[in-house]
Amino acid sequence: MSVQASAALFRPVRAGNAFEETVERLLQAVRLGVVEAGGRLPPERELSERLGVSRVTVREAIRALSDAGYVESRRGRYGGTFVNAVLPPKPAGDGVIDAEELQDVLCLRHVLETGTAEQAAMRSLMPDERRHLKDALTEASVADLDDYRRRDARLHLAIAESSGSTSLTSAVADVRMRVDALLDRIPLLQPNLDHSNTQHATIVDAILGGDPATARQAMAEHTEGTASLLRGFLR
Amino acid sequence: MSVQASAALFRPVRAGNAFEETVERLLQAVRLGVVEAGGRLPPERELSERLGVSRVTVREAIRALSDAGYVESRRGRYGGTFVNAVLPPKPAGDGVIDAEELQDVLCLRHVLETGTAEQAAMRSLMPDERRHLKDALTEASVADLDDYRRRDARLHLAIAESSGSTSLTSAVADVRMRVDALLDRIPLLQPNLDHSNTQHATIVDAILGGDPATARQAMAEHTEGTASLLRGFLR
DNA sequence: CTTTAAAGGACCGCCCACGGCCCATTAACC
DNA sequence: GGTTAATGGGCCGTGGGCGGTCCTTTAAAG
């Protein structure tokens, strides 16, 4: 039995307790911009059902996010839990980063993102999917430094959705959270942002034009850009 | 908020209770050939620690696998839990397959497997990694119809390991379990098997030769083969 | 102004899972 | 042949998470 394979298979069955995992999932929705600023989360009862977790646990998780300044709850009909316009700054984290973790997440991201771009370009997208992609691209292109991370994530998720595989979309969201945790430790510069926007346009054009090879290639260059940024700053 | 993205993010936080997930994980190790026939699982105490689950739960899971005929436990020093030489036939499952699930898993598999093959070919493998790959290839090529599924899975896992990313390896193992559940419903024919062996050799050669493009292309053709098989039988 | 429905807020009893501990068994070693 | 260490087997008290139920608040609808 290979030691690496067994390490991959005998990893922990759960990343944390129900509360922690629920917090993490809701954080994904907020941080990746799936629920936009000012937007409302699904009602607690619905979240409870969809996340497969008791409502008590959902409430505790929401309470934690509320205390941290991410969301705010309002009672009464037409109430709910709303995403704050301005998100709290994230803790810088410890300076040391595991080189193996970096290699792992960057490799995974490369595979997933180039794969979604290619798959998206291979499908014949519905009109609403095409519009959704274009909208996400536009919103990312006009974002300022503060909003950029969320809108960028939202665009990459839109591309993943265009692949037509929910499992792929989930995987992209998960790896994006890991990448974001790393990106929090390096500065975001305007030139990088401009360059990203150009690449985004190329990728979306290729997808909408049904050109898988170009979509993959463009996405590869795009992820390689942030990858080398991370490698440079963290090593 | 896109309905697809929220479906991906607000999916259940846990696939089942601790017992069920532990059974699933141990089944992976057995069914995917990570622990070969006659081989010994790690001791219960170690499994408990690595899986992040209490020893009671591990024991209940092992008991379930034992009852199902997958493994056998022996007490005393140098005892342990051993994988049976002949695995029980799997239940056929219900005839109806969700078309969306099929599309989802095949798309995910294509992206992951072609990605791992490419990444593996891009790395400079250590001598023991190269040997491991060759061994897995040889064992798959000499397998008979009964053993083929396990050895094939083992080879694909070996390729995934060669990518150097444990996350990727885990993802490949997970999607392989889903694919296997589908493959159980269609017959395995010798011609398909021969064709697979030829493709396996091409893939491994490309990886060992450091040719990412060929590795990806060969793996793409390989997965497309089983994909069209599945689509044909199940639709 | 009253009604109503939908949302958050709070509590209770139950059970699964955990940690910890000790027992029983077995093959190697001296 | 006794000793030893590693392994599976089993038990018990505790706590987290669950399902269920009811209360409170709120804005739209009438």
Side-chain angles (χ1 to χ4, degrees), chain A residues 70-121:
Chain A
Y70 285 99
V71 300
E72 221 163 275
S73 293
R74 290 203 291 273
R75 297 182 67 167
R77 193 175 185 183
Y78 299 88
T81 302
F82 299 84
V83 176
N84 285 340
V86 38
L87 297 188
K90 289 180 282 185
D94 35 358
V96 187
I97 289 190
D98 187 4
E100 204 163 327
E101 154 74 6
L102 182 65
Q103 161 66 20
D104 183 62
V105 68
L106 290 182
C107 175
L108 181 63
R109 170 160 138 105
H110 179 271
V111 167
L112 289 175
E113 298 264 18
T114 58
T116 55
E118 183 188 60
Q119 290 290 315

Side-chain angles (χ1 to χ4, degrees), chain A residues 50-61:
Chain A
R50 293 173 66 176
L51 297 181
V53 133
S54 84
R55 207 183 135 215
V56 183
T57 304
V58 169
R59 300 197 72 254
E60 282 169 351

Side-chain angles (χ1 to χ4, degrees), chain B residues 159-231:
Chain B
I159 293 172
E161 290 172 52
S162 303
S163 74
S165 163
T166 51
S167 298
L168 255 180
T169 307
S170 301
V172 167
D174 287 344
V175 78
R176 175 64 193 229
M177 286 294 282
R178 291 174 64 187
V179 171
D180 270 12
L182 299 177
L183 285 176
D184 284 336
R185 310 188 183 186
I186 68 177
L188 177 61
L189 304 175
Q190 187 68 38
N192 304 137
L193 194 149
D194 294 336
H195 192 206
S196 280
N197 279 329
T198 310
Q199 293 175 322
H200 283 164
T202 308
I203 296 168
V204 171
D205 280 350
I207 292 175
L208 293 177
D211 183 349
T214 303
R216 155 175 295 283
Q217 177 62 24
M219 182 62 93
E221 287 168 15
H222 182 50
T223 61
E224 191 42 51
T226 63
S228 58
L229 252 181
L230 278 171
R231 289 202 191 90

